Amino acid sequence: MPRYKLTIEYDGGGFVGWQRTDTGPSVQSALEAAVLAFSGETLEVTGAGRTDSGVHALGQVAHVDFSKQQRPDTVRDALNAHLVPHPIAVIDAREVGDDFHARFSAIARTYLYRITDRRPPLTLTRGQVWRIPVQLDVDAMHAAAQSLVGPHDFTTFRDARCQAKSPEKTLDVLDVSRAGAEIHIWTKARSFLHRQVRSMAGSLVEVGRGKWQVRDMARALAARDRTECGPVAPADGLCLMRVDY
């Protein structure tokens, strides 16, 4: 059965997340419905990661196995036609070997968390950026973030519902910088715990507000205690930017 790698973007605001569920519309179920409409086959679309409710993606990756060979551009265009009116687009489709797996073959995932500290309300980027109408100390946020880089036990930044076997992860990048009117938190790792990025972002904002000192981030990490985490950042500022293989 020929396997196709799909690169997908979506606005997660109207979905309960990537994962198919009975509790509401998911990105995975919308894609599987498009596959059925195109091919007449009920097939599973396997994603690289299970983004949460409200989280967006510019570079989600998935794979699907059709029973017969299709032109990649036909797969892309047909799925997009059947995805209307969902805010989901298949950006690229290509045939890959059956040893490729969207989830297990991934070697890194990169997320961007977007914040703005402007006072006026948002218009064009509403639902895409977390607005905090007080000036944040970005330099302090970046300095605090560096204590999380590397291999650590991230229990403090792990949601209680996380199903990962271990709280230990290796964070390759956690950078905070200004980008025009926004503050960007970039992070990269092979994999993340459930709500880890949003938990880290919320705690970094506590540093930016001056409620935490830079050293408090390392203290919270060392505590290995979920109650030491700052407020969890809202989902709509988070976007899965790319998956590397």
Side-chain angles (χ1 to χ4, degrees):
M1 297 178 68
R3 176 164 294 185
Y4 291 83
K5 174 188 175 187
L6 310 176
T7 303
I8 307 153
E9 70 175 33
Y10 50 85
D11 181 329
F15 298 102
V16 296
W18 166 268
Q19 189 73 8
R20 185 191 326 105
T21 174
D22 294 332
T23 61
S26 70
V27 179
Q28 183 184 34
S29 60
L31 281 161
E32 290 174 345
V35 167
L36 174 61
F38 161 53
S39 67
E41 300 178 277
T42 300
L43 303 172
E44 181 176 7
V45 178
T46 301
R50 300 178 181 181
T51 52
D52 290 340
S53 175
V55 175
H56 314 297
L58 284 178
Q60 173 71 284
V61 175
H63 75 258
V64 60
D65 298 334
F66 289 106
S67 62
K68 61 181 181 180
Q69 203 161 29
Q70 309 278 356
R71 283 179 44 141
D73 58 342
T74 299
V75 172
R76 178 198 62 207
D77 295 343
L79 292 183
N80 285 331
H82 291 295
L83 282 166
V84 177
H86 298 296
I88 305 171
V90 177
I91 303 303
D92 182 67
R94 59 187 60 193
E95 189 171 354
V96 292
D98 58 11
D99 58 340
F100 174 85
H101 193 285
R103 180 182 175 190
F104 298 123
S105 298
I107 59 173
R109 294 162 174 86
T110 299
Y111 283 89
L112 169 63
Y113 197 95
R114 297 168 65 192
I115 300 168
T116 183
D117 55 359
R118 77 180 205 179
R119 288 196 60 81
L122 298 174
T123 54
L124 297 180
T125 57
R126 185 170 52 191
Q128 305 283 334
V129 183
W130 183 17
R131 173 177 163 265
I132 303 170
V134 296
Q135 187 168 6
L136 301 177
D137 186 337
V138 176
D139 291 338
M141 292 170 67
H142 179 75
Q146 303 320 296
S147 63
L148 304 184
V149 176
H152 297 289
D153 180 326
F154 283 97
T155 296
T156 299
F157 304 99
R158 180 187 193 184
D159 189 85
R161 294 172 294 174
C162 181
Q163 298 178 358
K165 294 180 180 179
S166 169
E168 295 181 358
K169 295 291 179 182
T170 298
L171 210 60
D172 299 319
V173 173
L174 187 59
D175 288 339
V176 187
S177 60
R178 281 204 178 267
E182 296 185 7
I183 298 161
H184 288 179
I185 302 174
W186 286 95
T187 187
K188 178 181 178 181
R190 185 180 184 91
S191 62
F192 293 89
L193 301 168
H194 185 43
R195 292 190 178 172
Q196 180 183 346
V197 178
R198 290 169 57 194
S199 297
M200 295 188 301
S203 295
L204 287 171
V205 165
E206 294 297 275
V207 176
R209 288 177 184 269
K211 293 184 177 181
W212 284 21
Q213 300 300 309
V214 170
R215 63 179 178 273
D216 289 331
M217 188 64 69
R219 174 196 52 76
L221 175 68
R224 300 179 185 177
D225 182 348
R226 182 63 175 170
T227 64
E228 294 297 315
C229 183
V232 177
D236 55 10
L238 184 59
C239 185
L240 174 59
M241 300 299 288
R242 61 177 292 149
V243 184
D244 294 320
Y245 294 89

